[in-house]
Amino acid sequence: MENKLPSKKKIKENYEAYREYFLEIMDNIIVILRQNIKLSAQPTYKTRVKSFESYYKKLLRVKAKEAAESTGLLYLTDMMGIRMICAFLEDINIGLEQIKKVFDIKEVEVKGAEKKFSEFGYESIHVLIKIPENCKPELAGKYAELKPLTDEIVCEIQIRTILQDAWAEVEHELIYKTEFTPFDMPLRRKLASLNASLTLADITFQEIRDYQNKLQKELENRRQSFYSMADHLLDETKVVSKQDENESIQRITPYVQGTIDDMLLNAIQAHNAGNLKLAVEIYTKIINSISDDDKNIAAVIRKHRGMAYFSMNDFDDALADFNVSIQYDPKAYRTYYYMGIVHSIRKEYKDAVENFTKSLEINSFQAHTHYRRAVAYYEIQEYEKSMDDVSSALSLGLNPDDCKGLQEKLVSKFDMKM
């Protein structure tokens, strides 16, 4: 009995009939992905329908008999592909977990994990999702001639970093597309070296991001500590005793001379832990190690050291550092705010108003700065301006309880009722 051979012409006609339909499905899936995938740096998306030649070769390899007998389109699991391209390695697993919450997952596979480091593969995660019904266009109008496909059709989402995607594109052209695996040893070594370099670059980018996240967390802790101490000094009129300079803080790693970034992180950690003498010491070493041209670095370090001096109740040195920081970075609205706080503590309210005003001229959306200027205005008997600032602070979301005491004082000055 003669074997029936599949008709390439008929298979291609079926394939072409569904191509635009598949593209519209993927566009609808990407809409859902954009709405639900939330990463620190939002991913970009690419779509592709498997090329006919690739589809046909795979069809003959895995479904030749069905292809010969079928009159419709035979669907393959990698027919539709979406690439979700992320900035950092950490985003891959975060993105995968978010995809799992949105779609019906049929399969998750890590491609390339089985390869040796010297081989030419590159890892990426492939996720097969069931196509949601609301992503399938109606089989009407331009799709009226299409036959319904099985409910179990899937779309493959490949999750990669930018560098993984770059390697995949080049690898596809050099090796996969040409069906050529280089046997020349120097050429193999070059490809392996490129693969290793891209892998190392991805790891390095992630390490930098991890460092930034850690530094940002320490900076936020230090800033909140400053605000808490300022509130305590201004509102409670209590004197905070200086940190015992001999106190040992166990969670601080020993200071080791390194890059400015290393030194800064060590200083901020010491600052947050209350080891202010060590913090000032490291800040000072950074200041002494940089040139006069490094204005951005100098502005940041002077600001940090000024905050450490503030925490030690050394207000003269704090103001001196804040003033130098402002000279290097005149747009640093937080530094003006810190200066205003120091002047308020010293009851130099006109100077405090001036600094708070400069801060608000740069960034007017600061509820606490409006409130602190309102307090300073009250102290110099500028009651209307004080009331305006209280209103601004409340409009920007300041807790009404924080303003209640000042409001009551102002009401009594205006002889008004709440």
Side-chain angles (χ1 to χ4, degrees), residues 69 94 123 401:
E69 297 174 352
I94 296 173
E123 286 190 22
D401 290 341

Side-chain angles (χ1 to χ4, degrees), residues 182-314:
F183 292 98
D184 179 72
M185 188 55 67
L187 183 55
R188 289 175 63 87
R189 286 172 177 164
K190 287 179 181 178
L191 288 170
S193 177
L194 283 172
N195 187 19
S197 296
L198 288 172
T199 303
L200 179 60
D202 253 341
I203 293 171
T204 303
F205 284 145
Q206 184 60 54
E207 288 176 345
I208 293 171
R209 170 47 64 95
D210 291 342
Y211 175 86
Q212 288 177 329
N213 289 339
K214 184 177 181 181
L215 180 60
Q216 191 60 41
K217 182 178 180 180
E218 293 290 347
L219 286 171
E220 183 59 28
N221 289 339
R222 192 246 327 120
R223 188 177 298 124
Q224 291 304 321
S225 175
F226 179 95
Y227 292 157
S228 296
M229 184 174 179
D231 288 342
H232 186 77
L233 288 172
L234 289 168
D235 297 337
E236 303 296 333
T237 63
K238 294 179 180 178
V239 177
V240 179
S241 61
K242 292 186 178 182
Q243 174 74 28
D244 181 3
E245 295 179 348
N246 297 318
E247 183 178 351
S248 174
I249 306 298
Q250 295 299 320
R251 76 180 183 91
I252 295 300
T253 55
Y255 170 64
V256 178
Q257 179 74 31
T259 66
I260 289 177
D261 285 336
D262 292 334
M263 296 165 74
L264 177 58
L265 183 57
N266 284 342
I268 293 171
Q269 286 178 323
H271 192 156
N272 289 341
N275 198 339
L276 300 173
K277 181 182 178 182
L278 176 59
V280 167
E281 177 185 334
I282 302 174
Y283 289 139
T284 302
K285 287 183 178 180
I286 298 174
I287 292 169
N288 292 338
S289 70
I290 59 179
S291 69
D292 293 336
D293 295 330
D294 296 325
K295 294 184 178 180
N296 290 335
I297 298 174
V300 171
I301 305 306
R302 287 280 187 169
K303 178 177 67 176
H304 290 330
R305 193 175 70 172
M307 295 173 76
Y309 280 136
F310 175 89
S311 297
M312 298 167 72
N313 293 337
D314 187 345

Side-chain angles (χ1 to χ4, degrees), residues 226 230-231 233-235 237 310 315 319 336-357 368-380:
F226 179 95
D231 288 342
L233 288 172
L234 289 168
D235 297 337
T237 63
F310 175 89
F315 301 130
L319 274 180
Y336 279 118
Y337 173 80
Y338 300 151
M339 293 171 69
I341 291 293
V342 175
H343 284 302
S344 294
I345 291 171
R346 293 163 58 140
K347 302 188 183 305
E348 298 163 352
Y349 296 113
K350 289 185 178 180
D351 291 328
V353 166
E354 181 181 346
N355 287 132
F356 291 139
T357 299
H368 277 89
T369 307
H370 277 288
Y371 173 71
R372 287 302 173 197
R373 189 173 67 172
V375 174
Y377 272 136
Y378 178 85
E379 295 295 342
I380 59 175

Side-chain angles (χ1 to χ4, degrees), residues 137-175:
E138 291 186 15
L139 297 181
K142 60 182 178 180
Y143 301 131
E145 300 299 319
L146 299 182
K147 296 179 181 179
L149 297 172
T150 171
D151 289 339
E152 293 302 313
I153 65 170
V154 294
C155 176
E156 182 180 73
I157 302 177
Q158 302 171 0
I159 314 174
R160 297 172 173 167
T161 66
I162 295 169
L163 294 182
Q164 287 172 345
D165 188 61
W167 172 264
E169 294 284 4
V170 175
E171 181 190 43
H172 186 75
E173 292 295 323
L174 287 181
I175 299 172

